[in-house]
Amino acid sequence: MTQSRRITIFDTTLRDGEQSPGASMNIAEKLEIAQALVALGVDIIEAGFPIASQGDFEAVRQIAESVRGSTICGLARCNDQDIDRAWEALRHAERSRIHVFLATSAIHREFKLKMGKQEIIERAVAGVRRAAGHCPDVEFSPEDAARTEPDFLCEVVEAAINAGATTVNIPDTVGYATPAHMGRVIRTLRERVPNIDRAVISIHCHNDLGLAVANSLSAVEDGAGQIECTINGIGERAGNCSLEEVVMAIRTREDYYHFTTGIATQRLVPTSRLVSNITGIQVQRNKAIVGRNAFAHEAGIHQDGMLKERSTYEIMRPEDVGLAQTDLVLGKHSGRAALGDRVKALGYTLSAEQLQTLFVQFKALADKKKEVYDADIAALIDEEIRETDEMWSISRYTLSAATGAVPKVTLSLKRGDEEATRELSTGDGPFDSLFLAIEQITGIEVVCKDFRVHSVTVGKDAQAEVTVEVAHRGQVFRGRGVSTDSIEASAKAFLNAINRVAAAGGKAAPKVSPYERA
Ligand SMILES: [Zn+2]
């Protein structure tokens, strides 16, 4: 029997994942996801890029201070200011890691950094030393490693390990690698870097060719000990290696790989839903492991086989990934304990005070609709978390619309103790006029890129969930609103997006260009 090798799972949903257009999260949302990642059994949580903005710094600091059970990591470019700022955010963590990166490929050296090979090595060594002076756990990433000349990559990695790097991460920043290529890169490092035994080799793959999971598996097969990934595979462009897919491949094919991870796989579906609800990025139906159809057997011949023996067509059991067989239904007579149980099963960690607020909202909802499903509860919680730092809220509105007539709207918004009202008789329909009134009161103009209404659960009395995507000065913001009244849900969603613009200070662009991120 071969002894299984334990692979470290490094989750970067809160850093690389947040770089998905429109996926930016507030601090309360990031804390909620961080707690869920601990419950999932993630070894390391990359919580953000502290120097990028005050908001990023604050989020990393609060996660480091309050989340226990996983190592908390912060990203920094290879300079003193970035590294010191990262440490300032991380210093109160139970266990912290500083992740320093510097591009090494010829194309990045020449066009982005305008530095020679020797200068790159010196900079990398200085950065790793600086980080190692703060904390013993230091990760170094040669950005665009997959396109770096093998000889130079070996040289940089050896120098970084000598300077104190305990993990060397090999990013395929642009999603250019293929499985055999990636395996060869890792093999080369193991064969040619003399001190490679002193560090863990990590892999960070992007999905531009749809190969991120395959490339990551190939890298661990050739000796990498850590996989960097995100929930639902979100991230820059086509995203990152998907945590749920790579973890279930390792688990399902343990017979072949002989690897294990510390992931509690029954938490995969709840965590996936949590991240999808919070970011507003929906999971495609046919997505492996967590998609709605991932375990649906439609063909008659498959269903027949399944009834006789499940393993005929099923390589994983739905319960292994936390797909509940029955959607438990609560009603107006359900108590606080039953609600608390469902909240936990759904992957949320709420304080007694938050649970009490939720209980009141749950009772109000149960009065409006007979059956309250898991998705209804998740929608209530997500709205509560989202609203914690909302600048504006809706006081009331009246709206009239008729065939061939211009819609009329009167809207009042609250901001602190102040209230502002607008009356409009314009627009291409009720939603247009409502959104216009919101823009006029808040003074924030946006371009609406996407607007969707769907039902949270089944039945005519189901809650409507509205998601909107708006652009403001070149940046994308998402908003989400839920109500049994779809017009109210739309107004809430649009205002939620506007509040996010306001929270970002209407800032034109992030301080650190996305091209400078690993
Ligand atoms: Zn990345």
Side-chain angles (χ1 to χ4, degrees), residues 85-224:
R85 186 78 171 145
W87 176 242
E88 212 185 316
L90 291 167
R91 59 193 311 162
H92 296 297
E94 186 181 22
R95 290 185 302 275
S96 30
R97 169 180 294 188
I98 301 177
H99 179 188
V100 181
F101 76 96
L102 181 66
T104 52
S105 65
I107 195 160
H108 281 241
R109 291 196 310 262
E110 189 180 334
F111 296 104
K112 192 178 90 176
L113 299 171
K114 301 193 191 330
M115 281 189 202
K117 285 184 177 174
Q118 198 49 42
E119 219 182 331
I120 295 273
I121 290 184
E122 282 162 18
R123 178 77 83 85
V125 165
V128 170
R129 282 214 182 109
R130 182 92 180 181
H134 293 309
C135 92
D137 188 346
V138 177
E139 174 167 327
F140 174 74
S141 286
E143 189 191 354
D144 206 15
R147 290 195 300 176
T148 302
E149 310 91 310
D151 286 346
F152 184 55
L153 186 63
C154 287
E155 228 181 302
V156 177
V157 164
E158 184 182 349
I161 295 173
N162 274 336
T166 47
T167 297
V168 282
N169 178 45
I170 306 304
D172 180 20
T173 308
V174 292
Y176 178 71
T178 60
H181 166 206
M182 207 70 235
R184 197 166 61 236
V185 172
I186 304 300
R187 221 159 41 241
T188 304
L189 290 172
R190 288 186 64 210
E191 285 166 4
R192 291 178 35 198
V193 176
N195 57 3
I196 197 74
D197 291 346
R198 284 163 43 198
V200 172
I201 303 176
S202 166
I203 184 77
H204 178 110
C205 294
H206 278 272
N207 207 32
D208 297 69
L209 293 172
L211 293 171
V213 171
N215 290 343
S216 304
L217 285 171
S218 181
V220 279
E221 210 177 342
D222 273 298

Side-chain angles (χ1 to χ4, degrees), residues 285-296:
R285 278 179 181 246
N286 61 329
K287 168 93 163 63
I289 317 298
V290 293
R292 210 161 138 182
N293 295 352
F295 289 90

